[in-house]
Amino acid sequence: MDKKNKRIITISREFGSGGRLIGRRLAEKLDVPYYDKELLDRIAEESGFCREMMEDAERKAKNSFLYSLASAMGTGESGPESLSLNERFFLAQFDTIKEIADEGSCVIVGRCADYILRGMPEATNVFVYAEEADKIKRAVQEYGVPENSVRKMMKDTDKARANYYNYHTGRKWGKPINYHLSIDSGYLEIEDIVDLIIRYTEMKLYRLESY
């Protein structure tokens, strides 16, 4: 595919911000492949790792000390086999995301894709956030999360995402400098946000064409 027509959008998001909904709608509107949970299936297929083990490792990242300790503990052998299981999971994820991006236009939600594809001109990295009240409302009404547990789920999920991202990238999750576009989803409808992101990528592609 011609680089000038290639459009890769990564979506990082706070829990309850609607980032996954935005990503899926973007993929539908652009008619390009969408990767979220589907990405784990592909990583598992290509690497041989069990999907459930990878998901469990990501959930455990909510305890940053234990996750860092487990990630740092290798096997004592030499070569790639010396890496901890968490590090090997991340390397498999890294390779798969790079491979997907090489194949053509797509939308990828989460999994440090913004970092993995850093420096790729065709990639637009978006961070979606919102005020707490807006996130709670969406999580309860659209995700079906019980109201009495939504705050804990929101806190635990975002903590795990931040710790996982910070550990593997050496950067700070949610920091604006790591993204091209940061959007507060509480003030716009999903469709308006999708149109805004598409317009932004069009302007980036226009600049790419002029180089």
Side-chain angles (χ1 to χ4, degrees):
M1 175 180 289
D2 189 334
K3 271 189 177 182
K4 295 174 182 178
N5 297 316
K6 192 174 181 180
R7 202 179 314 213
I8 298 167
I9 301 171
T10 74
I11 305 286
S12 302
R13 76 285 185 216
E14 292 181 343
F15 183 82
S17 67
R20 179 174 289 122
L21 303 174
I22 292 166
R24 186 175 293 281
R25 181 62 187 131
L26 263 171
E28 290 173 354
K29 198 156 189 177
L30 293 171
D31 192 24
V32 300
Y34 171 79
Y35 294 95
D36 181 15
K37 297 297 184 183
E38 298 85 350
L39 185 58
L40 281 178
D41 291 329
R42 179 155 169 175
I43 294 169
E45 181 182 340
E46 295 183 0
S47 69
F49 289 128
C50 173
R51 171 181 170 151
E52 288 71 23
M53 288 177 66
M54 290 188 284
E55 286 183 312
D56 187 53
E58 291 177 358
R59 283 193 294 269
K60 287 178 178 175
K62 64 185 178 183
N63 187 316
S64 60
F65 174 74
L66 291 180
Y67 185 80
S68 298
L69 184 63
S71 298
M73 292 179 65
T75 62
E77 300 176 13
S78 59
E81 293 77 15
S82 67
L83 297 173
S84 70
L85 201 53
N86 287 346
E87 293 286 2
R88 289 160 70 185
F89 287 161
F90 183 75
L91 285 178
Q93 173 179 293
F94 187 101
D95 291 341
T96 300
I97 288 175
K98 292 284 282 187
E99 182 180 284
I100 287 170
D102 286 341
E103 291 171 356
S105 298
C106 60
V107 175
I108 304 173
V109 175
R111 309 229 141 57
C112 305
D114 63 284
Y115 172 78
I116 292 169
L117 302 180
R118 66 195 184 282
M120 178 179 281
E122 310 94 305
T124 297
N125 303 318
V126 179
F127 188 83
V128 184
Y129 64 99
E131 294 175 15
E132 185 179 82
D134 292 321
K135 291 189 291 185
I136 289 173
K137 182 179 178 180
R138 176 173 276 118
V140 172
Q141 294 183 357
E142 298 183 37
Y143 301 174
V145 178
E147 197 163 356
N148 62 353
S149 61
V150 66
R151 280 187 170 83
K152 183 178 188 312
M153 182 177 290
M154 188 162 54
K155 180 181 177 182
D156 288 349
T157 302
D158 282 348
K159 188 175 181 181
R161 288 173 179 168
N163 289 338
Y164 183 88
Y165 182 92
N166 297 348
Y167 178 84
H168 288 291
T169 71
R171 306 199 298 190
K172 187 172 176 59
W173 183 73
K175 190 172 183 180
I177 193 65
N178 297 329
Y179 312 93
H180 296 104
L181 190 62
S182 294
I183 302 173
D184 185 336
S185 64
Y187 294 91
L188 296 171
E189 297 295 331
I190 295 292
E191 200 68 22
D192 295 325
I193 295 172
V194 167
D195 289 340
L196 176 63
I197 295 171
I198 290 174
R199 178 59 180 149
Y200 186 92
T201 63
E202 287 171 347
M203 294 173 71
K204 279 184 81 247
L205 284 171
Y206 177 78
R207 287 193 62 188
L208 185 61
E209 288 175 359
S210 65
Y211 289 153

